[in-house]
Amino acid sequence: MKDTELDYTGVFQKIIKDIENHPYLELDFHQVNQGISAKYLTKIKEKLFQDLPYFESIDMKSIFQFYSEMNGLTLSWKISSDLDDKTYNSLKEKITDLTFPEDRNEILGKINILPFEEVFLCDHDFFKISSSGDHFTEFDDFVYEGNSFGEILFLFDVFSDTECMSFVADNDDGHKVILLQEDYKLWNHSKVSYFHSYMKFLAATRGLIESRIKTFSEYRGDKTEDILWAKIPYGTTIEPDLFKIPDIISSSL
């Protein structure tokens, strides 16, 4: 699936600045890894195609572009520790599309995109829950017996201990993206997007964990229309109210 170019570095720099400048949020941690050099990218492509030959027929242009800009990144954010009780309670009343935690130190937003090697060049024993034909997974009108579906899943945005986003390398649209839940083993409760669109989603939501669940979680979502955005969905229902004109929200508290 083809899409327009996206400045990945600019996207994540903006997310970091949006959190740092937000009156009610606090950046907990962030680290952006240096991008992969052209020479090393060629080397790891060769290894990938040698280990998993079917990747040669998969369009991974946008993925390679991302990793050339940054070889993974981590950022997390939460409610500001400087917020007084009155402001916090007022914020809870004004922001109705967010479940506020009892513990203000709880992480609300997280992005944890793993380095290329950890996504594509590692062993996937984690998914080997059954080797018999008694276990199967249905995805996109195809039945995968035994562990065969798990073998084409590649976790890349591991934003919690129980949920993450994964690539599905099932055909030439191999940068399909789905949500995995219940310790990453619930595979058939997700709508389908694509890497480039998912990056736009992260830009608009700033990695809010709850947004991923609301947007992607649906039983047999693979049978519904793919989630695609032509541009970053700022100002839509995808963007949390927490990020819609914070100065206006501030004046109403």
Side-chain angles (χ1 to χ4, degrees), residues 63 119-120 152-154 156 166-169 174-177 195:
I63 295 172
V119 176
F120 296 105
I152 60 171
L153 294 179
F154 296 83
F156 74 97
S166 174
F167 293 119
V168 184
H175 55 306
K176 284 182 177 178
V177 169
F195 182 70

Side-chain angles (χ1 to χ4, degrees), residues 143-176:
V143 176
Y144 293 85
E145 296 185 353
N147 297 309
S148 56
F149 188 68
E151 291 170 356
I152 60 171
L153 294 179
F154 296 83
L155 281 61
F156 74 97
D157 184 10
V158 185
F159 59 87
S160 88
D161 293 334
T162 58
E163 297 149 338
C164 72
M165 304 303 293
S166 174
F167 293 119
V168 184
D170 69 334
N171 56 31
D172 58 357
D173 282 335
H175 55 306
K176 284 182 177 178

Side-chain angles (χ1 to χ4, degrees), residues 169-198:
D170 69 334
N171 56 31
D172 58 357
D173 282 335
H175 55 306
K176 284 182 177 178
V177 169
I178 64 171
L179 170 71
L180 304 184
Q181 300 179 80
E182 296 185 6
D183 298 329
Y184 319 146
K185 292 180 180 179
L186 185 62
W187 304 338
N188 61 352
H189 280 65
S190 177
K191 294 182 178 180
V192 177
S193 189
Y194 292 81
F195 182 70
H196 207 78
S197 277
Y198 180 65

Side-chain angles (χ1 to χ4, degrees), residues 207-226:
L208 179 65
I209 293 173
E210 191 171 0
S211 289
R212 294 181 180 87
I213 312 305
K214 288 181 178 178
T215 302
F216 287 93
S217 183
E218 181 174 327
Y219 176 67
R220 294 314 309 273
D222 55 292
K223 287 186 169 293
T224 65
E225 188 174 351
D226 292 345

